[in-house]
Amino acid sequence: MDIHQLKIFISVFKNKSFSKAAKELFLTQPTISEHIKTIEEELNSKLFDRIGKSIIPTTEAEMLYDHAVRIIEKVEKLKDDLQKIKSTPSGNLHIAASSIPGTYILPKLISSFKNIYPDISIQISISDSKTVSDSLLSGQIFMGIVGTKLHQSKIEYTPFMNDELVIASPDFINESFIEPEEILRYPFIMREEGSGTRKEMERWFNEIGIDTEKLKVVCILSSTDAVKQAIKNGVGFSILSIHAIKDEIECQKLKAIKIKNYQMNRTFYIASSTKRTLPHIYKLFYEFLKKNSFTL
């Protein structure tokens, strides 16, 4: 039996009449009779005794009525609760993001999102792209923001924002553009394994004929901020997102140098598991990111 059949039964029980129930529910009397017959067969119980033109509920019908009313009430309450979630969204969003979008992009968007949905709180966990992807696949999170596609058959990637990687340099390089091979002349600060920035950098270096084994790597650091501090202190230079060094460029603490005739572009993605359905508040954030991200 289903909810529709229970509602028919309740109407027949309350009206003590098939014809009155038919009028109340805008159904034909044969349809009403057929549904009651189906319930009786499923429960293997007689629900109504027919005496002349009247019907009298059986003991089984009395029992079913009490349960049916409670079931209908619970279903209606569920509908109301779901509607409240949609009309006044609340709850906690847990987003995992790789370092650049998590540190330099999402915080700027969260303020606008909170203005629209003040009852939704947001938690951002920052790690490398691989860790974010692994967390999605293990079911620990619903949504991530990454700069590298991994496990493409199991994760859905939606373009979120464009990014440009540049050579972040202290003052010892005066040029604004350099030849690719000049990169090998200077001390280089490398990001850690698993970093989306490192993965994309290695791909681009391979495209322009730079052997990463020949880089003069002076240190390997696990965060963009650590790399920036090392550059400021003259340790070397590195490849960083333009989003990560905007403030330093404006304050003239770092320089952005580009490779001649070559632009290192990438895309950040909203990542979600193909096996899981996003809860309502995550869908709201997902749509918000798609609508607003490219305006930054």
Side-chain angles (χ1 to χ4, degrees):
M1 77 186 76
D2 56 31
I3 296 298
H4 178 61
Q5 289 173 332
L6 288 179
K7 288 182 176 180
I8 289 173
F9 164 76
I10 289 173
S11 179
V12 173
F13 185 95
K14 289 167 61 177
N15 286 291
K16 303 296 189 290
S17 168
F18 283 74
S19 58
K20 289 181 180 178
K23 290 181 181 179
E24 182 177 83
L25 300 174
F26 301 100
L27 297 171
T28 65
Q29 188 167 330
T31 298
I32 296 291
S33 299
E34 186 62 31
H35 280 298
I36 295 299
K37 180 181 178 182
T38 299
I39 298 174
E40 289 179 329
E41 289 176 350
E42 183 172 343
L43 297 178
N44 193 27
S45 300
K46 185 77 170 176
L47 296 177
F48 298 100
D49 291 326
R50 292 159 179 80
I51 301 177
K53 294 183 179 181
S54 302
I55 61 170
I56 300 175
T58 63
T59 301
E60 290 83 353
E62 299 278 357
M63 183 181 297
L64 176 59
Y65 177 78
D66 290 337
H67 285 281
V69 169
R70 288 198 297 269
I71 290 171
I72 298 300
E73 287 176 349
K74 288 181 178 180
V75 169
E76 294 303 322
K77 185 178 186 305
L78 174 60
K79 290 180 180 179
D80 289 342
D81 290 344
L82 291 174
Q83 186 58 41
K84 287 177 183 177
I85 290 175
K86 293 181 178 181
S87 60
T88 310
S90 62
N92 180 58
L93 280 171
H94 182 192
I95 307 297
S98 54
S99 59
I100 301 304
T103 305
Y104 303 101
I105 298 174
L106 287 180
K108 296 178 182 179
L109 293 169
I110 286 173
S111 176
S112 298
F113 183 78
K114 289 285 291 179
N115 287 336
I116 303 172
Y117 304 107
D119 294 328
I120 297 178
S121 61
I122 302 176
Q123 174 187 350
I124 300 177
S125 298
I126 299 175
S127 56
D128 58 56
S129 295
K130 183 179 184 304
T131 301
V132 174
S133 298
D134 289 344
S135 296
L136 279 170
L137 294 179
S138 66
Q140 297 178 47
I141 59 171
F142 282 102
M143 184 186 297
I145 310 293
V146 295
T148 302
K149 290 184 178 182
L150 301 168
H151 310 290
Q152 294 193 41
S153 63
K154 299 179 180 179
I155 296 177
E156 180 180 348
Y157 294 93
T158 302
F160 164 56
M161 176 174 286
N162 294 327
D163 185 29
E164 180 183 5
L165 294 188
V166 296
I167 300 171
S169 165
D171 293 334
F172 61 69
I173 302 179
N174 295 319
E175 297 89 345
S176 297
F177 293 87
I178 63 173
E179 297 291 344
E181 59 271 15
E182 290 185 63
I183 293 173
L184 301 176
R185 293 171 46 195
Y186 301 103
F188 195 85
I189 302 166
M190 184 73 81
R191 281 295 305 274
E192 82 285 5
E193 289 283 353
S195 161
T197 298
R198 174 168 173 167
K199 185 176 179 66
E200 293 300 311
M201 178 204 74
E202 290 174 339
R203 180 176 66 82
W204 286 313
F205 278 6
N206 182 64
E207 287 183 6
I208 60 177
I210 298 288
D211 185 353
T212 55
E213 295 295 325
K214 294 181 179 180
L215 289 171
K216 294 181 179 179
V217 178
V218 290
C219 62
I220 299 174
L221 300 174
S222 60
S223 75
T224 300
D225 282 342
V227 173
K228 288 197 296 184
Q229 290 302 319
I231 296 171
K232 290 175 187 177
N233 285 280
V235 176
F237 71 58
S238 189
I239 305 294
L240 291 176
S241 163
I242 192 68
H243 292 289
I245 59 173
K246 278 184 178 179
D247 292 342
E248 285 79 6
I249 292 173
E250 291 177 2
C251 297
Q252 298 183 338
K253 292 182 179 180
L254 289 178
K255 295 175 61 177
I257 299 172
K258 299 183 181 182
I259 299 173
K260 288 182 180 179
N261 302 317
Y262 193 81
Q263 197 168 27
M264 295 186 288
N265 293 323
R266 67 171 170 177
T267 301
F268 291 122
Y269 300 94
I270 307 169
S272 57
S273 171
T274 57
K275 300 295 185 180
R276 303 193 72 188
T277 301
L278 290 177
H280 180 62
I281 58 175
Y282 283 85
K283 289 180 181 178
L284 293 176
F285 192 60
Y286 174 87
E287 294 299 329
F288 174 83
L289 290 180
K290 287 204 304 181
K291 181 180 179 180
N292 294 279
S293 58
F294 284 94
T295 63
L296 286 180

